[in-house]
């Protein structure tokens, strides 16, 4: 490949006998441009029109700062909880055989399939002070719904499959020989898991964590029902965008969106870096 | 450390991977388990290590019954077929792993561990590679790291499963000699698995030939090559010919033709004659016997030539070795007689 | 395995432990944790949807679904999915064909761009279309002058839905088609097939399960999308309400049992999706074993 490239200079596409390249790539690019790139660019243009000082003023508005803080902190906590339990769930699904395992495995995808609004009202029905679970906690003064804790609960629901589905395939690939090698060298089971298995899974766990975190920050539907949406307390950034839109405050909405988008791209970049690093270092990605 | 395998048997879900087997391994010996794929070599090795539990029988390390000991407590150095290096650890951490996981009371200090690792890297001839990751090593280098890692725990026995199986021919030959040297230097009782007879015969003090979950023969390279006790061993090791013959009146017959070999003391009846292509003598003027047939094919093998002859009424093919410049006469027929051979009775008894 | 061991050997093995398994107690604890966590996070909420829906009886739930606004929402949801899913399907196949069957510069970047909508908040997906077609934009008033209404109308909902479900089919097909390489297509071409024949007879049979899988997930998301659609719809009851939006409206009107009745219909859809997905995965693994 390198040879042919030097022989004939720069070349956009390698020759192929298969037809349809122009048609399919043309369609792909057109559709991508119309649906994704132009609308996203529109956001960029709007932000540029605001200028740095305009953006800065809005971004440092206390309510905006607080909404972003709520979004990021609850997302972080939810992703951490999912990292712990997601790994345990994946381990149980991969390593153990017990009745109902297949059903459990299938149900892990529920948050991918269940509309977020449905998840939102269901979780609220459980954790509201008069709800299925909330009613037993209310007498002790524990309130979950309508507080940041409620947001965390919704975000755990949303993020779980990202964690499990990222870690699971890598776990399946762990070679039995490696674990046996650790055992012959005298490692007990706990040492094998903590020093061999988990470090080997680290890139996958980090990737899953980043995916769950990124998704949680942007999540809207499942959160707004359970959050209570109290400004400065349990108001998330996506909700504040909606509120600004309803006020026809497009500049406000645009600025918050811009900050969140930049964050999303940073997460995307982080995931790519994790995987490139892991591939270089250990010879496997993900 | 002596090893005694006492009437050990292993079934996987009723499938007998290893039939009842006994074997004594002397202290400091280098033993090869040799056999075709699926013959139970790995299973036997894993039973010794404690990676599997025997269905029946016991394994003794010295005088101690090791059966109740878990892998961790057996203190065996095991080198896996695909090395099983820890990918996220440097070479140094890989080799140090066995020492690092020891309970604090018997764990050497950090400095001491590092010193030992570097010493081992010298022993396996990889000085200066301690900072590398397994991913940055060649196959042969990985194999050496795997061995150093196994040696680091000062194992009572060293077990290697097809240690050179995944390497190319050149590297294999080099590592083979090197393994022997390391063994002589460290004196560990060593058992290694291979399906490569050349490797086994060249390297091991004694070879254990296995087939279908059973030990066929245990012996030195000479024993195995010159005195195979079963048709399987004869045909598995080196090249061989098998001819169905008949013993009658103190003579060996192929149909109505006497072979002209000395079978005095053999009982009458059918038998199979085994001989190697090079253990023959060409007969220029067959007087009373010998085998003869037309040359069906020939091929050059290094400094010699191998001829395939069609012998007897049913044209059984046998292969013999002749000098490369051997002139095949106009008739295209060659006559010969085995110089060294073995007879196996169909009931399993053997003689020559 | 224990049944394979004779009593004498079993007696000797006391103290031996399987090197690659946790102790039974650790195992039981881990299974317990996983089951409790999944029950708490996934199963109980799902059960809650149906229980709450049936709180006033099946009749009430069905009545809530037969209500004109509910029917309108169901119709609109089906319509939106019927437009968005086929478009993204065609896009996914085209993108996968270009990316998997050819080598060209900038491919990795293109794949990243295709994945982009996954990392954009649904609310932002709605917002960008409002900025594009809204009052302050160039396009909005222009289209308005021709009587074309995008925002607060079906086209806007469709656009937002297409955006959020954009990568589903493509990202399912790209790795699949990359794994399969170009050998079969090249063989077909060399045997005289044209491009369409090659696609229909050679490529499509190889990717049909992956394709279905992508469509399934795409459809589930298209019918269930809330944030993006909520931002763009203006929530005109009976006109631009999809089912998830209708759930929200009923819920905010404290009409809980009706809200859960509509929600349970969406939950059923999710369950069907999961079952089909599990079946497809079975099918998938069996097919790939055969290869
Ligand atoms: N864990 C296992 N479960 C079931 N059968 C096994 C297992 N390990 C080995 N066997 C079977 O036991 C036989 C011997 O295997 P093995 O000892 O690996 O042979 P070798 O190492 O000589 O190739 C084979 O038929 C193999 O299929
Ligand atoms: Mg083997």
């Amino acid at each position: 490949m390198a040879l042919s490239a030097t022989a004939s200079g720069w070349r956009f596409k390698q020759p192929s006998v298969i037809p349809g390249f122009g048609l399919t790539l043309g369609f792909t690019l057109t559709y991508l441009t119309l649906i994704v790139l132009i609308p996203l660019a529109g956001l960029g243009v709007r932000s540029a029109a605001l200028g740095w000082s305009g953006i800065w003023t809005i971004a440092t508005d206390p309510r905006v700062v607080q909404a972003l803080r709520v979004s990021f902190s609850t997302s972080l906590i939810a992703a951490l909880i999912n990292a712990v339990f997601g790994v345990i769930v994946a381990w149980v699904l991969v390593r153990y055989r017990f009745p109902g395992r297949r059903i459990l495995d299938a149900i892990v995808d529920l948050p991918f399939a269940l509309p977020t609004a449905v998840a939102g009202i269901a979780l609220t029905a459980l954790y509201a002070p008069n709800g299925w679970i909330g009613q037993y906690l209310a007498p002790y003064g524990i309130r979950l719904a309508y507080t940041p804790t409620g947001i965390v609960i919704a975000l755990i629901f949303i993020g779980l499959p990202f964690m499990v589905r990222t870690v699971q395939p890598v776990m399946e690939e762990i070679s039995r020989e490696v674990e046996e090698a650790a055992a012959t060298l005298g490692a007990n089971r706990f040492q094998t898991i903590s020093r061999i298995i988990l470090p080997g899974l680290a890139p996958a766990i980090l990737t899953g964590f980043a995916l769950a975190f990124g998704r949680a920050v942007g999540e809207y539907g499942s959160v707004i029902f359970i959050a209570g949406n109290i400004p400065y307390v349990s108001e998330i950034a996506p909700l504040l965008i909606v509120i600004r839109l309803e006020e026809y405050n497009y500049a406000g909405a645009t600025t918050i969106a811009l900050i969140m988008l930049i964050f999303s791209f940073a997460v995307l970049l982080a995931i790519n870096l994790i995987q490139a690093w892991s591939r270089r270092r250990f010879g496997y990605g993900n | 450390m002596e090893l005694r395998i006492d009437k050990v048997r292993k079934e996987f879900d009723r499938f007998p991977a290893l039939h009842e087997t006994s074997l004594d391994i002397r202290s400091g010996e280098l033993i090869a388990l040799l056999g075709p794929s699926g013959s139970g070599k790995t299973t036997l090795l894993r039973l010794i290590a404690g990676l599997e539990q025997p269905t029946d029988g016991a394994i003794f390390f010295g005088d101690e019954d090791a059966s109740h000991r878990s892998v961790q407590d057996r203190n065996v150095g095991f080198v896996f077929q695909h090395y099983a290096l820890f990918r996220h650890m440097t070479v140094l951490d890989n080799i140090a792993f066995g020492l690092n996981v020891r309970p604090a009371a018997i764990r050497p200090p950090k400095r001491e561990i590092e010193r030992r690792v570097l010493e081992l890297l010298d022993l396996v001839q990889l000085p200066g590679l301690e900072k590398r990751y397994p991913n940055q090593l060649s196959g042969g280098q990985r194999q050496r790291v795997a061995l150093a890692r196994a040696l680091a725990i000062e194992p009572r026995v060293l077990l290697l499963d097809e240690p050179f199986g995944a390497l190319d021919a050149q590297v294999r030959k080099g590592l083979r000699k090197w393994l022997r040297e390391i063994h002589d230097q460290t004196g560990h009782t060593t058992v290694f698995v291979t399906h490569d007879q050349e490797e086994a015969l060249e390297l091991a003090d004694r070879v254990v030939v296995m087939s279908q979950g059973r030990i066929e023969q245990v012996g030195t390279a000479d024993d195995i090559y010159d005195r195979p006790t079963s048709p399987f061993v004869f045909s598995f090791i080196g090249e061989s010919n098998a001819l169905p013959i008949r013993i009658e009146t103190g003579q060996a017959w192929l149909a109505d033709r006497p072979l002209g070999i000395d079978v005095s003391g053999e009982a009458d009846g059918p038998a199979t004659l085994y001989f190697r292509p090079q253990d023959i003598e060409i007969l220029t003027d067959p007087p009373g016997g010998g085998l003869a047939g037309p040359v069906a094919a020939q091929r050059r093998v290094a400094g010699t030539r191998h001829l395939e002859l069609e012998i007897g009424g049913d044209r059984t093919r046998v292969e013999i070795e002749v000098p490369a410049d051997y002139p095949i006469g106009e008739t295209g027929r060659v006559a010969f007689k085995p110089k060294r051979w073995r007879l196996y009775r169909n009931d399993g008894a053997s003689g020559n | 395995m224990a049944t394979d061991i004779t009593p004498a050997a079993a007696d000797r093995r006391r103290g031996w432990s399987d090197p690659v398994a946790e102790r039974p107690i650790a195992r039981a604890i881990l299974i317990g944790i996983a089951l409790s966590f999944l029950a708490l996070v996934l199963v109980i909420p799902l059960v809650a949807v149906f229980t709450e829906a049936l709180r006033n009886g099946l009749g009430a739930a069905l009545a809530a679904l037969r209500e004109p606004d509910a029917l309108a929402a169901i119709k609109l949801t089906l319509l939106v999915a019927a437009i968005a899913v086929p478009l993204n399907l065609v896009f996914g196949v085209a993108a996968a064909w270009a990316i998997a069957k050819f080598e060209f510069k900038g491919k990795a970047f293109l794949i990243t761009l295709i994945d982009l909508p996954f990392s954009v908040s649904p609310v932002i997906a709605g917002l960008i279309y409002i900025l594009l077609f809204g009052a302050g934009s160039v396009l909005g008033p222009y289209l308005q002058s021709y009587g074309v209404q995008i925002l607060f109308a079906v086209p806007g909902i469709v656009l937002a839905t297409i955006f959020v479900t954009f990568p589903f089919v493509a990202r399912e097909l790209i790795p699949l088609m990359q794994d399969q390489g170009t050998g079969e297509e090249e063989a077909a071409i060399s045997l005289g097939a044209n491009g369409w024949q090659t696609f229909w007879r050679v490529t499509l049979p190889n990717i049909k399960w992956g394709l279905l899988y992508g469509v399934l997930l795409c459809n589930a998301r298209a019918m269930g999308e809330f944030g993006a659609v909520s931002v763009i719809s203006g929530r005109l009851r009976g006109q631009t309400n999809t089912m998830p939006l209708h759930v929200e409206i009923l819920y905010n009107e404290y009409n809980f049992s009706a809200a859960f009745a509509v929600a349970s219909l969406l939950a059923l859809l999710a369950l069907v999706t999961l079952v089909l997905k599990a079946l497809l995965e079975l099918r998938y693994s069996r097919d790939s074993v055969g290869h």
Side-chain angles (χ1 to χ4, degrees):
Chain A
M1 216 164 89
L3 212 73
S4 75
T6 43
S8 58
W10 193 88
R11 176 183 271 164
F12 170 60
K13 166 184 168 283
Q14 298 293 312
S16 165
V17 298
I18 302 174
F21 179 70
L23 178 71
T24 54
L25 188 71
F27 178 72
T28 300
L29 290 178
T30 310
Y31 192 75
L32 177 73
T33 307
L34 289 179
I35 299 289
V36 179
L37 299 183
I38 290 180
L40 274 178
L43 186 88
V45 171
R46 283 290 180 119
S47 317
L50 289 173
W52 281 118
S53 61
I55 290 175
W56 186 251
T57 318
I58 297 169
T60 51
D61 172 70
R63 188 167 169 190
V64 173
V65 171
Q66 192 54 30
L68 287 168
R69 190 176 287 162
V70 169
S71 275
F72 284 103
S73 57
T74 51
S75 298
L76 190 68
I77 294 168
L80 284 173
I81 292 173
N82 272 333
V84 175
F85 288 96
V87 169
I88 294 175
V89 168
W91 182 261
V92 166
L93 290 177
V94 170
R95 287 302 174 100
Y96 303 150
R97 295 292 170 265
F98 52 92
R101 185 185 63 91
R102 274 186 181 286
I103 295 176
L104 225 53
D105 193 18
I107 218 161
V108 166
D109 283 327
L110 182 69
F112 284 157
L114 192 71
T116 52
V118 177
I121 63 169
L123 290 170
T124 312
L126 294 182
Y127 293 101
N130 60 350
W132 293 24
I133 297 173
Q135 60 179 310
Y136 299 107
L137 300 173
Y140 304 99
I142 303 173
R143 275 172 55 108
L144 298 179
Y146 315 130
T147 69
T149 315
I151 303 178
V152 173
I153 290 173
L155 296 181
I156 291 174
F157 176 89
I158 290 302
L160 180 66
F162 288 95
M163 197 68 215
V164 176
R165 294 302 185 223
T166 314
V167 173
Q168 209 175 3
V170 185
M171 243 176 214
E172 275 162 3
E173 298 290 306
I174 297 175
S175 92
R176 187 190 163 96
E177 275 195 354
V178 168
E179 287 174 56
E180 290 179 343
T184 62
L185 293 167
N188 61 35
R189 194 63 189 148
F190 177 76
Q191 287 171 320
T192 303
I193 290 177
S194 62
R195 299 192 184 202
I196 303 298
I197 295 176
L198 286 180
L201 291 175
I205 296 176
L206 275 174
T207 304
F209 176 84
L211 286 170
F213 184 44
R215 172 67 205 268
V217 167
E219 177 57 21
Y220 175 72
S222 59
V223 174
I224 53 160
F225 294 97
I226 200 172
N229 307 325
I230 307 153
Y232 299 98
V233 178
S234 59
E235 183 178 70
I236 55 168
L239 176 65
L240 195 54
I241 295 180
V242 175
I243 291 173
R244 292 292 183 249
L245 273 178
E246 282 169 355
E247 296 164 350
Y248 298 102
N249 180 351
Y250 285 7
T254 304
T255 303
I256 303 169
L258 184 72
I259 295 169
M260 290 178 60
L261 265 188
I262 290 171
F263 164 76
S264 300
F265 295 157
V267 169
L268 215 60
L269 186 70
I271 292 172
N272 280 318
L273 289 179
I274 293 167
Q275 296 190 340
W277 164 75
S278 153
R279 210 164 304 144
R280 211 174 40 245
R281 172 58 54 85
F282 311 133
Y284 58 96
N286 210 279
Chain B
M1 177 67 50
E2 275 160 38
L3 281 180
R4 190 150 62 82
I5 292 142
D6 187 24
K7 300 202 187 99
V8 162
R9 196 157 63 78
K10 177 65 186 174
E11 290 176 6
F12 290 108
D13 301 323
R14 299 268 168 80
F15 172 79
L18 193 68
H19 297 282
E20 193 177 289
T21 295
S22 294
L23 177 68
D24 285 335
I25 297 171
R26 295 174 208 129
S27 187
E29 212 175 7
L30 180 56
I31 287 255
L33 303 181
L34 172 67
S37 170
S39 56
K41 309 178 295 286
T42 299
T43 302
L44 180 53
L45 201 71
R46 290 170 59 86
L47 284 164
I48 297 173
L51 291 168
E52 306 283 357
Q53 264 296 288
T55 305
D56 202 359
I59 289 164
F60 291 87
F61 281 33
D63 292 330
E64 179 211 17
D65 184 352
S67 313
H68 66 279
R69 288 197 172 241
S70 65
V71 199
Q72 285 91 345
D73 294 340
R74 283 193 200 190
N75 198 26
V76 295
F78 201 107
V79 177
F80 290 84
Q81 194 167 358
H82 303 289
Y83 324 128
L85 294 179
F86 308 133
R87 292 190 285 189
H88 62 283
M89 289 185 189
T90 60
V91 166
L92 184 118
D93 290 336
N94 262 281
I95 299 175
F97 183 80
L99 299 173
N100 280 330
V101 293
R102 284 189 184 169
I106 56 165
R107 188 191 315 142
K110 216 169 152 349
R111 276 271 183 69
E112 169 65 12
I113 291 180
E114 194 168 324
R115 194 190 59 73
R116 264 204 243 172
V117 170
L118 296 180
E119 208 175 276
L120 280 165
L121 274 175
D122 277 339
L123 179 71
V124 300
Q125 298 165 7
L126 292 176
L129 294 191
E130 66 271 11
K131 298 254 163 56
R132 297 265 189 100
Y133 283 87
N135 182 32
Q136 300 164 323
L137 302 176
S138 73
Q141 289 174 327
R142 286 180 205 180
Q143 185 57 270
R144 289 162 192 250
V145 173
L147 183 64
R149 186 177 68 177
L151 288 173
I153 58 168
E154 290 162 351
R156 297 195 285 179
V157 292
L158 189 57
L159 308 171
L160 304 99
D161 192 0
E162 309 242 1
F164 313 124
L167 302 171
D168 56 54
Q170 279 293 342
V171 184
R172 283 173 88 117
K173 286 225 163 127
L175 281 181
R176 205 188 280 172
K177 259 202 210 102
W178 165 83
L179 180 64
R180 179 78 227 185
E181 280 166 24
I182 294 226
H183 174 261
D184 294 345
Q185 227 170 312
T186 58
H188 284 107
T189 308
T190 305
V191 184
F192 76 99
V193 163
T194 181
H195 61 259
D196 180 341
Q197 42 171 301
E198 204 184 307
E199 202 165 281
L201 296 174
E202 190 181 312
L203 200 52
D205 297 323
R206 286 194 301 156
V207 176
V208 178
V209 183
M210 299 186 65
S211 164
Q212 299 185 354
R214 287 199 170 79
I215 292 183
E216 289 277 338
Q217 187 173 359
V218 182
T220 62
D222 290 344
D223 291 336
I224 301 287
Y225 198 83
D226 297 333
R227 289 174 291 283
T229 53
S230 69
F232 171 81
V233 178
F234 200 112
S235 50
F236 184 66
I237 308 286
E239 289 175 290
S240 64
N241 294 298
L243 266 186
I245 59 161
R246 193 164 38 81
I247 312 278
E248 228 175 81
T249 61
Q251 266 283 12
W253 301 83
L254 182 71
D256 54 356
R257 223 181 132 86
L259 267 58
I261 57 177
D262 178 18
V263 290
S264 49
E266 293 285 337
D268 285 359
T272 311
L273 178 80
Y274 279 81
F275 61 96
R276 305 199 186 278
Q278 66 273 31
D279 292 340
I280 55 119
E281 127 187 47
I282 301 286
L283 304 174
T284 38
D285 164 33
L291 296 161
V295 177
Q298 53 165 300
R299 63 197 163 90
R300 178 72 188 249
V301 180
T304 65
R305 193 177 295 283
H306 280 210
L307 306 179
E308 269 183 45
L309 307 182
E310 286 178 344
I311 304 287
D314 51 2
R315 302 180 150 201
T316 312
R317 285 212 172 188
V318 299
E319 194 167 314
I320 61 169
E321 187 180 296
V322 296
D325 55 359
Y326 179 79
I328 299 167
E330 258 168 38
T331 56
R333 282 177 74 83
V334 174
F336 72 96
K337 114 182 173 187
K339 270 192 307 196
R340 284 151 51 119
W341 43 267
R342 291 183 77 82
L343 272 184
Y344 295 100
R345 296 306 183 130
N346 299 342
D347 57 13
S350 75
N352 69 341
Chain C
M1 284 278 157
T3 53
D4 285 350
I5 303 220
T6 62
D11 198 37
R12 277 201 202 93
R13 73 179 284 181
R14 237 167 256 150
W16 185 85
S17 64
D18 187 339
V20 295
E22 289 76 52
R23 284 170 196 286
I25 176 80
R27 196 187 147 97
I29 291 174
L30 287 175
I31 293 183
I33 292 175
L35 287 182
S36 318
F37 186 72
L38 289 180
L40 189 67
V41 174
L42 302 181
V43 179
I44 297 180
L46 187 63
V47 173
V49 175
F50 293 107
T51 315
E52 292 291 328
L54 297 176
R55 176 154 288 198
N56 298 338
L58 184 62
L62 289 177
L65 291 176
R66 272 199 295 265
E67 213 234 329
D69 286 349
L71 284 177
I74 293 173
K75 262 191 215 140
L76 181 58
T77 296
L78 292 176
L79 174 71
V80 169
I83 301 170
V85 175
L87 279 175
N88 281 338
L89 167 66
V90 172
F91 161 73
V93 172
W97 182 269
I99 287 170
K101 302 294 171 191
F102 302 94
E103 288 305 322
F104 57 93
K105 298 259 161 30
K107 195 194 247 191
F109 184 60
L110 180 59
I111 295 176
T112 308
L113 287 182
I114 290 175
D115 270 347
L116 208 51
F118 271 162
S119 44
V120 172
S121 169
V123 169
I124 297 179
L127 168 70
I128 55 177
Y129 287 106
I130 291 201
L131 294 182
L132 197 64
F133 297 110
S137 70
V138 187
L139 267 178
Y142 176 77
L143 290 172
Q144 195 99 50
S145 67
Y146 287 93
V148 180
Q149 178 77 21
I150 305 267
L151 297 183
F152 319 118
V154 176
I157 294 179
V158 171
L159 275 176
T161 304
I162 290 178
F163 183 94
V164 295
T165 58
F166 185 84
F168 277 101
V169 179
R171 80 155 9 189
E172 208 54 56
L173 287 186
I174 291 170
L176 183 63
M177 280 167 71
Q178 275 176 333
D179 277 355
Q180 287 171 348
T182 55
E184 289 185 37
E185 283 78 14
E186 280 161 3
I189 301 284
S190 75
L191 293 171
N194 65 30
W196 280 114
Q197 290 168 323
T198 305
F199 175 74
W200 281 110
R201 300 191 186 188
V202 177
T203 310
L204 196 59
N206 277 335
I207 59 167
K208 58 176 186 269
W209 299 120
L211 193 74
L212 228 82
Y213 193 93
V215 166
L216 200 63
L217 296 180
C218 185
N219 180 63
R221 181 72 194 267
M223 292 192 171
E225 177 51 30
F226 177 74
V229 173
S230 158
V231 166
I232 219 164
S233 74
R235 292 184 238 171
L236 298 181
R237 194 164 185 172
Q239 274 179 45
T240 55
N241 253 346
T242 61
M243 285 165 73
L245 297 180
H246 193 57
V247 169
E248 189 202 13
I249 287 177
L250 292 170
Y251 190 85
N252 287 343
E253 288 170 350
Y254 302 102
N255 192 351
F256 293 138
S257 62
F260 278 102
V262 180
S264 67
L265 202 57
L266 287 166
L268 269 181
L269 172 77
L271 285 181
V272 170
T273 304
L274 289 187
V275 169
L276 289 177
K277 184 169 172 290
L279 289 178
L280 275 178
E281 272 160 6
L282 265 178
R283 189 73 217 221
Y284 234 147
S285 55
R286 206 175 304 143
D287 271 15
S288 53
V289 165
H291 274 289

